[in-house]
Every structure is written in structure tokens, then in C-alpha cells.
């Protein structure tokens, strides 16, 4: 079966789902090969905090080098900074992470553009 | 990018996911504007109990006024009444909530009609 | 509304979601009838362990007889055998369960072929 041209968006909104998500993405790339799938990862809600975790960022960076696009929801970053959690400023995000105004819109629009949806 | 014509179904099957779901919907409407997205919310499983929670209903009603369509799975309402939980009769549901015979069918059919799927 | 031709993939990656998933599938078949929907179930992650649980297998077998196709992720089976959990060999799987090399690829590709996605 043709594996070319696959497009998928991974939705991560809880911290405890990152390991599963990153494992899924690793397995997908291993199976279809680099370039075999267009991969987006949208983090919204508390899960954006993972973007300040250096050990996780290392894994993400390797996947980004393989073509995965990691995104952070600006609404969620701001909510985190307004609350009691550690504040993660946009400037502090590694350059390979893209900020989107509203993660939820990215999730919906991507599906309208043919991306599959996976909730790890 | 064109944000018109977006269609999305939110699937809520656990009580503890309502806050996230309602927050996502609020953010989506704020981002794309009233009428910028057709929004359905299908509650099945234990999550239907939220339809008897007056503080949550107030938030839902405001979102319904902004165009979101809230739905309750009849199978789930009946299961709740058959069990030890508080029974929520169909007649007790606010008029802005639509009852569907099987939430799962609504979820599947909506996607076949072009709705994106989001599991908060 | 036409219920023929529905296609759906259920994604189960946690053991505690099987009851909900099997209930959803039962309700869907009851609602649209045998043959009213093409149904795939992909188990990846720890959820594959359910394929060695005889009481659950009985329910799955009945749903398989009604047309649902149950799949196990080979990556996940191997990971389970490499870890401290009970090892479930491919040979030990009932014949009605199909093994796929990577569950995540099946999930993404199915959506590109028009399957709806449901995460119970």
C-alpha cells in the first residue's frame, strides 16, 4: 500500500501523554521513513510545559530534524504564565517550535486540509 | 488562511474533560469568530451527567448562543438511569440540548460529512 | 440520513478504555445494523494486553463476527514482551486478530482512506 503522502496531526493536551506521543511519532517515522508522512504536533493546555523540559526537548528536536513540526498554543502559554505554574515565555521556546495563536484552530483547520488526527 | 467553513465535532465521554472541552470551544470561537466554525459537541458515557450541572449548563448555554450544538447520547442517558447514578431524564434536559439515539453514530457520521474530530 | 457506507477506526491505547470502546462498538452496530459500518479497532501501547484476556476476547469475537476487525500493533506486542509485563506472542493471538507492523501507520492511513477516528 502507498505510504507516501500521509499527513497527520498529533494532539497532546496532557503532560502524561508526551511519552506515548513521542513514541508513536518515532514508530511512524521508522515505519514510513523520513518524508513518508507530514507530521504536526499541537500542544495545548498544560502539555505546553513539556517545551521547557530539556530531556524531552532533545527527543523532540531529533524528531523535528526528521520532519515533525512541533507547535505551541499561545493561549495555553499565556494561561500557564497567569497561573501558579512555572512561566514559559515565547522567547524561551527553542526555535524549532512554532507558536500558533490558538492550538484548537490549528487542529480543526489541519483536518479540513486532509490531516489525520491522533490523540495519544 | 481562510477560517470560514470550518466544521468540528468535540467528543466528550468523561466528566473531567468538560472544562478542557468548554475552554477549547471558547478559544475556537474567540479565534474564528461567531459563525466562523460549525461546532457540535457530543456527550456520551458518564459525561452526560454534566447536562444536569447548572453551573456548567450556564457556560454551555452561552456557547450554544454563539452557535455550538450540544448533543446527548440517549443510550448513555438510559444507562445512567439504570445504574446507581442520579437519573437524568430526557424531559429534564434544557431545550438547547439535542438528544441523539446513539452518540457514537453521530460522531462517525459527522466525520463522513466533513467534520473534524477533537477529543479534549 | 443514510447510515450505509460509514467507516470508522477505534483507537485504543490504554487498558482502561476497552470497556468504553467495546460498548461504543456494540452501540454502533446496534444502531446502524450489521454491515451498516466498516469497523476497525487498532490497539497499540499497553492496551494490546487485552488480547490475552479471555473474557474480553469473548466480547471481541462476537463483535468480530458482526464485522469488526481487531488489530494489534506488532511494535507494542514486542515492547510488552521486552518489558516486565506478561509476554503475549503473536502465535498466541486468536486468529480473528490481525497483526499490523505499526498501529500508528494503520491509524493514519485509514483516515486518509476515509475512515472516521474515534478515541474512546
Amino acid at each position: 500500500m502507498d505510504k507516501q503522502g500521509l499527513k497527520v496531526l498529533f494532539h497532546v493536551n496532557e503532560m502524561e501523554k508526551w511519552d506515548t506521543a513521542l513514541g508513536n511519532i518515532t514508530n511512524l517515522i521508522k515505519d514510513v521513513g523520513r518524508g513518508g508522512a507530514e507530521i504536526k504536533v499541537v500542544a495545548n493546555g498544560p502539555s505546553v510545559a513539556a517545551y521547557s523540559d530539556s530531556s524531552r526537548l532533545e527527543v523532540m528536536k531529533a524528531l523535528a530534524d526528521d520532519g515533525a513540526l512541533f507547535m505551541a498554543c499561545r493561549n495555553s502559554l499565556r494561561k500557564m504564565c497567569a497561573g501558579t505554574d512555572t512561566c514559559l515565555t515565547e522567547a524561551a521556546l527553542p526555535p524549532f517550535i512554532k507558536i500558533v495563536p490558538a492550538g484548537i484552530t490549528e487542529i480543526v483547520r489541519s483536518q479540513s486540509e486532509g490531516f489525520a488526527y491522533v490523540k495519544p
Side-chain angles (χ1 to χ4, degrees), chain A residues 7-25 28 39-48 103-104 107-108 111 115-120:
Chain A
K7 301 196 287 185
V8 57
L9 181 146
F10 289 86
H11 178 199
V12 184
N13 64 357
E14 297 172 298
M15 280 297 279
E16 57 269 33
K17 297 300 174 70
W18 274 112
D19 286 346
T20 302
L22 298 176
N24 285 170
I25 297 166
L28 178 62
I39 299 170
K40 292 182 182 178
V41 185
V42 173
N44 67 353
S47 73
V48 293
I104 188 65
I107 291 166
V108 176
Q111 290 184 67
F115 279 76
Y117 173 87
V118 176
K119 184 80 189 300

Side-chain angles (χ1 to χ4, degrees), chain A residues 19 22-23 38 61 65 67 78 81 96 99-101 104 108 114 120:
Chain A
D19 286 346
L22 298 176
E38 192 176 341
K61 180 64 171 63
D65 287 342
R78 287 185 179 162
C81 285
F96 75 86
I99 295 163
V100 291
I104 188 65
V108 176

Side-chain angles (χ1 to χ4, degrees), chain A residues 2-120:
Chain A
D2 185 17
K3 286 172 181 170
Q4 296 298 311
L6 294 177
K7 301 196 287 185
V8 57
L9 181 146
F10 289 86
H11 178 199
V12 184
N13 64 357
E14 297 172 298
M15 280 297 279
E16 57 269 33
K17 297 300 174 70
W18 274 112
D19 286 346
T20 302
L22 298 176
N24 285 170
I25 297 166
T26 301
N27 282 336
L28 178 62
I29 294 175
K30 202 177 293 178
D31 191 44
V32 304
R34 272 177 79 155
E38 192 176 341
I39 299 170
K40 292 182 182 178
V41 185
V42 173
N44 67 353
S47 73
V48 293
Y51 289 151
S52 65
D53 171 344
S54 59
S55 70
R56 277 214 176 90
L57 281 172
E58 206 174 316
V59 179
M60 293 177 189
K61 180 64 171 63
L63 294 171
D65 287 342
D66 278 342
L69 174 57
F70 287 84
M71 286 179 265
C73 171
R74 179 172 286 140
N75 288 329
S76 305
L77 290 171
R78 287 185 179 162
K79 193 172 175 190
M80 195 170 90
C81 285
T84 53
D85 295 302
T86 311
C87 185
L88 175 59
T89 63
E90 296 189 17
L93 287 182
F96 75 86
I97 295 171
K98 182 184 173 186
I99 295 163
V100 291
I104 188 65
T105 306
E106 180 69 31
I107 291 166
V108 176
R109 188 165 50 213
S110 292
Q111 290 184 67
S112 78
E113 294 170 352
F115 279 76
Y117 173 87
V118 176
K119 184 80 189 300

